[in-house]
């Protein structure tokens, strides 16, 4: 059975939906950010501050490989996972990939108070969301089997739709 992989910008609901999807599908839930933190024994802001983003991306690729190495799982990924070509290839091969999105203003509202998400540019926070969303959009689109807006419906409803699509895809 193939894994169900969630991609999308920060604040699109990958972790919240991932936990719901794990319950619905019966697959274990894995989160690449949590795997990185467990392995490093440090928080993401600490890793960014001490080692920099390039080192973080390296750890992220190793975490993705680990998450997709064994049995099928629901895998929530960090918002920047698609930046690396190897990550994109691996996800496309290993699973059914769901791209979660929402308008930049909604994402900014959801994430702006979270101190666990280090700044990725020198831009003002809303401008950062707008700019990176535009830059990453083609990369998310390249690997997505399904794309869904998470801003206009309850997560429970979105999860049921994703689970049905995944089930159809793994059968087909
Ligand atoms: C990042 C998103 C974060 C985390 C890191 C970098 C990004 O994950 O991996 O802070 O580049 O968009 P979430 O999307 O789970 O917040």
């Amino acid at each position: 059975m193939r894994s169900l992989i969630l991609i999308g910008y920060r604040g699109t609901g990958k972790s919240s939906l991932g936990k719901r999807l794990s319950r619905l599908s019966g697959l274990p839930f894995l989160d690449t950010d949590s795997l990185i933190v467990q392995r490093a024994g440090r928080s993401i802001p600490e890793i960014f501050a001490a080692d920099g983003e390039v080192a973080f991306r390296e750890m992220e690729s190793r975490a993705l490989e680990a998450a997709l190495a064994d049995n099928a799982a629901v895998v929530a990924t960090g918002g920047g996972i698609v930046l690396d070509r190897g990550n994109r290839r691996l996800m496309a091969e290993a699973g059914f990939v769901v791209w979660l999105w929402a308008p930049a203003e909604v994402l900014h509202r959801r994430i702006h108070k979270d101190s666990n998400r280090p700044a990725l540019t020198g831009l003002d926070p809303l401008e950062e969301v707008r700019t990176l969303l535009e830059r990453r959009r083609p990369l998310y689109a390249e690997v997505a089997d399904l794309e869904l807006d998470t801003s206009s419906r309850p997560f429970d409803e979105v999860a049921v739709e994703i689970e049905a699509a995944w089930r159809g895809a793994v059968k087909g």
Side-chain angles (χ1 to χ4, degrees):
M1 198 185 284
R2 292 167 82 215
S3 288
L4 203 173
I5 304 168
L6 302 176
I7 62 170
Y9 200 77
R10 291 167 159 176
T12 47
K14 291 166 292 183
S15 300
S16 308
L17 279 164
K19 287 175 195 150
R20 283 172 172 78
L21 284 163
S22 166
R23 283 196 294 274
L24 287 172
S25 64
L27 297 181
F29 175 64
L30 297 172
D31 181 313
T32 56
D33 283 342
S34 305
L35 288 174
I36 294 167
V37 169
Q38 271 169 28
R39 287 173 163 202
R42 288 177 294 158
S43 70
I44 289 178
E46 280 167 352
I47 297 170
F48 265 74
D51 305 342
E53 183 174 347
V54 172
F56 173 82
R57 297 296 172 204
E58 204 35 61
M59 296 178 197
E60 186 169 50
S61 294
R62 302 292 84 76
L64 181 68
E65 284 164 14
L68 296 175
D70 297 324
N71 300 325
V74 175
V75 180
T77 60
I81 201 98
V82 292
L83 295 172
D84 180 85
R85 185 191 304 271
N87 292 349
R88 297 202 297 278
R89 192 173 317 127
L90 182 58
M91 291 190 291
E93 282 167 12
F96 182 69
V97 183
V98 181
W99 170 24
L100 304 173
W101 62 273
E105 292 70 21
V106 173
L107 299 179
H108 173 253
R109 215 178 308 128
R110 286 182 186 162
I111 66 179
H112 81 283
K113 287 200 184 117
D114 188 345
S115 60
N116 205 32
R117 290 180 163 118
L120 299 166
T121 64
L123 297 169
D124 135 282
L126 176 57
E127 219 29 63
E128 172 171 299
V129 178
R130 286 195 179 119
T131 304
L132 293 187
L133 207 51
E134 258 335 288
R135 199 178 293 164
R136 292 177 179 177
R137 192 186 302 276
L139 305 177
Y140 293 129
E142 181 188 313
V143 281
D145 294 303
L146 173 71
E147 59 181 85
L148 277 173
D149 178 1
T150 66
S151 65
S152 53
R153 284 184 302 154
F155 277 5
D156 283 334
E157 225 176 276
V158 177
V160 167
E161 182 176 339
I162 295 174
E163 206 265 344
W166 166 77
R167 213 163 270 286
V170 292
K171 265 196 215 143

